[in-house]
């Protein structure tokens, strides 16, 4: 079984590439982030024609998450139970479902903006709510994983130049401690291998030619329970999909399971 996570940075802008990638990669379940559309605008019919059911949590603007599955899609939970609000609303940043033999969450963690910003406080509260929300699924009967754009680089090795990130979000001790707390619930990180270079970055800013210079970050992550991590055969960052005209600024992260 092949599962994956991908921040597509607008599903409508990236739909032709998404459909082509689904066909070429043979992915069974894809966790999507940053759909940038409403639920009504989500291209469910085009994906259905490609063989995928969809579960969507999207209201437009800059957020939105989804799960695409060709192996079944049941027990959908839309949103983050107990999650915090930002500017009076709970943003569409989480969705979970059972897909064939596994249960998966697709998450898009808040960016945090700046350490002094209230969005950073919101980010930490969101991560704490995520920890509490996924805890019941960890010891459950199915292999289970949380995948998505966490907007946190777990270690200094996961950013191209740690000195440039001093005092910035994505690398602070509090954010990294939140990932450690998530692991404390019984989840282990599935580390992908790079297809090129020695670091498996997943995000490269569009500016300053950062992709061809490989000035990236690893912020798209997978955390699985013991049943899922024991089934992992391979994991890699599909760096090729970051190339070319019309690419997202993130690359898909693929996990192959022996299930």
């Amino acid at each position: 079984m092949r599962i994956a996570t991908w921040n597509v940075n607008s599903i409508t802008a990236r739909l032709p590439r998404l459909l082509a990638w689904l066909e070429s990669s043979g992915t069974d379940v894809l966790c999507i982030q940053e759909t940038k559309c409403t639920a009504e605008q989500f291209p469910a019919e085009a994906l259905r024609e490609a063989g995928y059911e969809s579960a969507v949590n999207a209201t437009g603007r800059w957020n939105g998450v989804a799960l695409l599955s060709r192996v079944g899609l049941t027990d959908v939970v839309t949103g983050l139970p107990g999650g915090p609000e930002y500017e009076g609303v709970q943003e569409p940043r989480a969705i979970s479902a059972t897909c064939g033999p596994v249960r998966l969450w697709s998450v898009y963690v808040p960016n945090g903006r700046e350490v002094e910003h209230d969005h950073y406080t919101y980010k930490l509260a969101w991560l704490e709510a995520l920890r509490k929300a996924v805890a019941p699924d960890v010891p459950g009967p199915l292999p289970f994983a949380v995948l998505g754009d966490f907007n946190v680089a777990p270690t200094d090795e996961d950013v191209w130049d740690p000195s440039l990130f001093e005092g910035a979000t994505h690398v602070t001790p509090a954010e990294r401690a939140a990932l450690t707390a998530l692991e404390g619930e019984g989840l282990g990180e599935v580390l992908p291998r790079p297809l090129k270079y020695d670091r498996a970055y997943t995000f490269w800013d569009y500016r300053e030619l950062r992709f061809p210079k490989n000035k990236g970050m690893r912020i798209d992550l997978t955390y699985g329970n013991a049943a899922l991590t024991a089934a992992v055969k391979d994991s890699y960052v599909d760096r090729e999909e970051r190339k070319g005209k019309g690419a997202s600024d993130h690359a898909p992260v693929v996990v192959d399971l022996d299930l």
Side-chain angles (χ1 to χ4, degrees):
M1 181 176 186
R2 173 164 286 182
I3 63 175
T5 181
W6 190 7
N7 180 323
V8 295
N9 190 11
S10 175
I11 193 167
T12 53
R14 234 63 67 187
L15 183 58
R17 292 187 68 132
L18 171 61
L19 292 171
W21 186 82
L22 287 170
E23 182 177 5
S24 65
S25 68
T27 298
D28 295 301
V29 184
L30 177 62
C31 301
I32 288 179
Q33 301 84 44
E34 206 168 353
T35 60
K36 290 185 177 180
C37 68
T38 64
E40 293 73 22
Q41 294 167 330
F42 191 85
E45 184 57 35
L47 290 161
R48 188 178 298 110
E49 291 176 359
Y52 291 84
E53 297 179 78
S54 304
V56 185
N57 183 14
T59 57
R61 299 182 70 183
W62 306 109
N63 304 312
V65 290
L67 280 163
L68 311 181
S69 175
R70 63 179 187 180
V71 293
L73 192 64
T74 60
D75 302 320
V76 177
V77 176
T78 301
L80 178 61
E85 294 184 347
Y86 188 71
E87 297 183 341
V89 297
Q90 187 181 112
E91 297 178 313
R93 294 183 174 274
I95 193 165
S96 57
T98 299
C99 304
V102 300
R103 181 153 185 85
L104 304 175
W105 282 65
S106 175
V107 302
Y108 181 32
V109 177
N111 178 282
R113 300 179 187 172
E114 299 173 353
V115 173
E116 297 79 12
H117 201 287
D118 59 0
H119 206 262
Y120 176 76
T121 304
Y122 165 59
K123 179 179 189 174
L124 296 180
W126 201 96
L127 283 164
E128 174 61 11
L130 177 66
R131 180 189 68 79
K132 293 178 179 178
V134 303
D137 276 328
V138 175
L142 298 177
F144 167 71
V146 186
L147 306 91
D149 179 356
F150 279 75
N151 271 314
V152 183
T155 72
D156 282 352
E157 292 186 349
D158 296 312
V159 295
W160 64 275
D161 187 345
S163 68
L164 298 179
F165 290 84
E166 292 181 7
T169 59
H170 292 59
V171 300
T172 65
E175 291 166 287
R176 289 174 172 173
L179 297 185
T180 301
L182 192 64
E183 292 180 303
E185 295 296 334
L187 296 173
E189 189 179 0
V190 177
L191 294 171
R193 60 184 174 87
L195 294 185
K196 186 178 182 181
Y197 302 112
D198 60 347
R199 300 295 180 202
Y201 298 142
T202 65
F203 165 82
W204 301 260
D205 198 292
Y206 288 126
R207 298 170 295 179
E208 300 173 350
L209 298 175
R210 289 192 181 177
F211 178 67
K213 294 177 180 178
N214 200 37
K215 294 181 176 181
M217 305 174 69
R218 189 174 72 86
I219 57 176
D220 301 88
L221 313 174
T222 300
Y223 288 94
N225 67 358
L228 186 131
T229 56
V232 174
K233 296 191 299 181
D234 191 16
S235 181
Y236 62 91
V237 179
D238 190 352
R239 191 180 185 279
E240 293 298 304
E241 190 53 38
R242 177 58 177 82
K243 293 181 177 179
K245 184 178 180 180
S248 171
D249 46 4
H250 294 251
V253 181
V254 177
V255 181
D256 287 332
L257 303 170
D258 188 9
L259 291 173

